[in-house]
Every structure is written in structure tokens, then in C-alpha cells.
Amino acid sequence: MNQVRVRYAPSPTGQLHIGNARSALFNYLFARHFGGDFIVRIEDTDVLRNVVGGEESQLSNLRWLGLDWDESPDKGGPFGPYRQLERLETYQQYAQELLDKGLAYKEFRENSDKYAVRFKVPQDQEIVFKDIVRGELRFHSKEVEDWVMIKDNGIPTYNFAVVIDDHLMKITHVLRGEEHITNTPKQVLIYRAFGWDVPEFGHMTIIVNEQKKKLSKRDKNVIQFIKEYQEMGYLPEAMFNFISLLGWSPSTNEEILTKEQIIEQFDPARLNKAPAMFDKDKLAYINSRYIKKLSVDELAEKSRPFLEKAGIPIPDEAWLKLLVGILQDRMSYIGQIVDLYRAFFHDEFHIETEAYQFLIDNQSAMLLETFAQKMVDHPFTAETIETLIKETSVQTQIKGKPLFMGLRIATTGDMHGPSLPISLALLGKERVISRLKQTIKQLRGES
Ligand code: GLU
């Protein structure tokens, strides 16, 4: 095989979408697996659809995902420029060549010397190519009409520019979305017209939602832009892992794989023919696995901005680490820390009927008094709280559920939650004592 050269060729028409990210990522994997080059080329010829910042968003989101590339508009390279609008003369030159050979013709606009250039599609040609994903695909030139290569404003259409660029940039393999299958015969005919080698094509299946419908950007039930995942606190390594499984599967059952492992195991023969399902639960699961692998320090650093933004006061670093430490196993994305915090540490103290009944049934007042008295002269750390709970148990002879659930209800209002000593340490001595007093008063008042 020649030096592998693949490219990701986004149109800068918006933010990086999950489908585009997959195209980019599979090309990246292909290049890195075979020790080839990965090129980013901007296909900006659909001028009206270009958006300001579209290119930058594509590149910065790809970088965030952990991709890097060898040639691109921002990096340069031996086959530049890498933006199609900067290559207009080249397309003109090649269109002229086809005009000169009689393989294309001009179509003048009425009463004007402006013209479009149309490709003269040969009458009777079979177009057969082996698709890396789908095997042999067959078309016939009679299915293709004479199509516009260069519009009358001098700008080429996608199907023409893509061939010129892929040829000049020595692209060996073209991996892209299935929506481009029907463009491929048009492109193959251009390669033939110039007598150029055709690269190998691979068309990746569509991505579908959980109802098996093609994922559409308008589908509000699925978050589809990479930036949104970044903002929610998904980890790039997890996103990379998840996207790599959208239409590809490793040969072993282990799906949690590092970038390096995926590059090593990547095998184009294992690209799936069936549509790739965007499974939100799977993404959440993969992300939670990566969150579990973070150190408490890393998780604290990543969580801080979310808590701050939500206006949750962080007394000090130790408190933050304690908090993320007990919530780590429950988080499927970092931003969830806010909801989890609020679920377990409400500012308002309120005991629901069922929980209150538990205190009554277990005659908890004495337990709470004993615990409250013990607390007075002690530093309020998770370790000392644990000792105090034990001492309270010895003194009151109350154990197990009546002990732990009783103390939890009286201090947090909840019947369940994360580690009790840590939860109390996070709540802080003042709040814990005042809640205990309030609950004791209420219980005594009723007995
Ligand atoms: N600009 C095209 C797109 O965004 C690229 C298609 C291709 O890879 O050839 O769909």
C-alpha cells in the first residue's frame, strides 16, 4: 500500500456534530493505525451556508476530542492551501482541461457572458467500486445527468472540487458518511476523465436514535453537538471511546479502550454495515467509567466550575474533595455534581412523613440527644464523626438501621444517601447541631 493519506473535509456550516466527529475520528484512526497522514481540509464552497467561526469550532472541538492532524488550514502543509475557496484557480484550470478535451461544456446564462461548466457524462459506462464498508457497489452512467462542475460565479460544486483536491492531496482512502454514496459515481467519472487513480471509498452507516430513526440535527431528544457534551462535563477520552464504537467494534468484548488501544485495534474490516445506534445510556455508562478512574484531585478541579456556576459555596478545598469523593461513583457527567449535591444536601431542612414516622417508631429522641451532646467538643471531621457514631451506639445500645437511618433522617431529612459521616462533615457542625435540636424538639413535643 502507498503511504496512507486520509482526510476529514468539513463544511464550516456549524458546530461539530456527532456524525461529523465520527467521520473525523474514523479517518484519524485509519491514518494512525496504518502510520499514515491525516489531513483536515475545509470545504467552504457552499458560501451561503458557511457560518462565522464554523471552521474554528470544527478544529477546536476535534482538538478537544484528542485528535491531531498533519496538514490543515491552521497548520499548513505541502499540499495547501487547505481551504477550497483559496483554490479556485486550480479548479478553473482543471475545468478548462476538461473543456479543452470536450469532456465538459459551458452553459451560458441567458443574455450574459457568465456561464456554468457542466460535466458531459459519458453515455454507457459501468461504475463499479469496492466500498470498504459495503463491498462492491454498482452504478451506471445513465443514472447520472450532466451535472454542474463550476457554477456561473466561478465557484466549483462539491463533487468537482472534492475530486481535484483528493487527487492533488494524494488521498488514498475516503471514509465518509453514507449520504455520499450517490455522489461517488459522479466523482469516479471525473477521476476517469482525467485518467487518475481512484482512491478507495468507505461509506459509514447512518447513525440512528433509539427509535431507529436517522439522527437529525433537529431531533431535540438527543444532544448532538460535541460542544454541548464538553459543556456538560463529559470527558473527551470517554467521548472518543464512545464515538469509536458508532459503527465499529473491537474484536474482543472489552469496549472501554484508551485512544492508543483503539488505534492499535482499529480494523476497517470491522466497520459495521448495520446502522449505528446512538445509545445515550451507553454514553453515560462509558463516561461514568472514565469519571471513576479520575483521582479525587482531578475530579475536584473539574467539578469546581460547575458548583461555582450553580452558586454552591465551596468552603475550602478539603470540603470539595470530600464532596466529589462521595459522589464520584454516582456521576455520569461532571455537571451532574450540581444535581447530586442538591439532592443530598438541600439547604432547606424538611423531614417527610415516612421518615418522621421512622423516628417515632424507633423512639429516636434519646439517640439524637446522645449524639448531639457528644459532638459539642470535637473537631468535625468524617473520622471523628464516625467515632462519635460508634460511641453513641455503645452508650444507647442502638445499632444498625435504627442508628444510622435515625441519625441520617434527623440531620439530612432523607432516609438514604451517601456515607453518613462524610455527609455530616460536608453539612458542617453548625447545621448538623441545629437540625438535631430541631428534630429532638419536635419529637419531644409530640411524646
Ligand atoms: N464536505 C463534505 C461533507 O461535509 C465532505 C464529504 C467527503 O468527505 O467527501 O459532507
Side-chain angles (χ1 to χ4, degrees), residues 84-115:
Q84 290 188 327
L85 284 181
E86 293 169 16
R87 304 170 60 80
L88 295 181
E89 273 175 41
T90 306
Y91 308 124
Q92 287 291 351
Q93 225 173 295
Y94 282 95
Q96 190 58 50
E97 190 177 325
L98 292 189
L99 284 168
D100 293 345
K101 289 183 177 160
L103 300 176
Y105 57 91
K106 294 178 182 177
E107 179 184 66
F108 283 89
R109 234 207 246 176
E110 235 176 287
N111 302 325
S112 158
D113 53 2
K114 285 193 160 199
Y115 59 88

Side-chain angles (χ1 to χ4, degrees), residues 178-226:
E178 159 176 308
E179 67 276 15
H180 289 293
I181 289 184
T182 49
N183 286 321
T184 311
K186 293 184 181 174
Q187 297 173 14
V188 170
L189 290 174
I190 296 287
Y191 283 100
R192 285 192 192 161
F194 284 109
W196 293 339
D197 287 342
V198 180
E200 275 188 57
F201 295 102
H203 290 96
M204 292 170 287
T205 60
I206 53 166
I207 303 175
V208 294
N209 65 18
E210 282 156 36
Q211 289 72 46
K212 307 229 155 52
K213 287 232 179 68
K214 184 175 187 236
L215 209 59
S216 119
K217 289 183 188 166
R218 289 174 294 281
D219 190 342
K220 291 283 169 263
N221 292 320
V222 188
I223 299 169
Q224 299 180 34
F225 292 99
I226 299 300

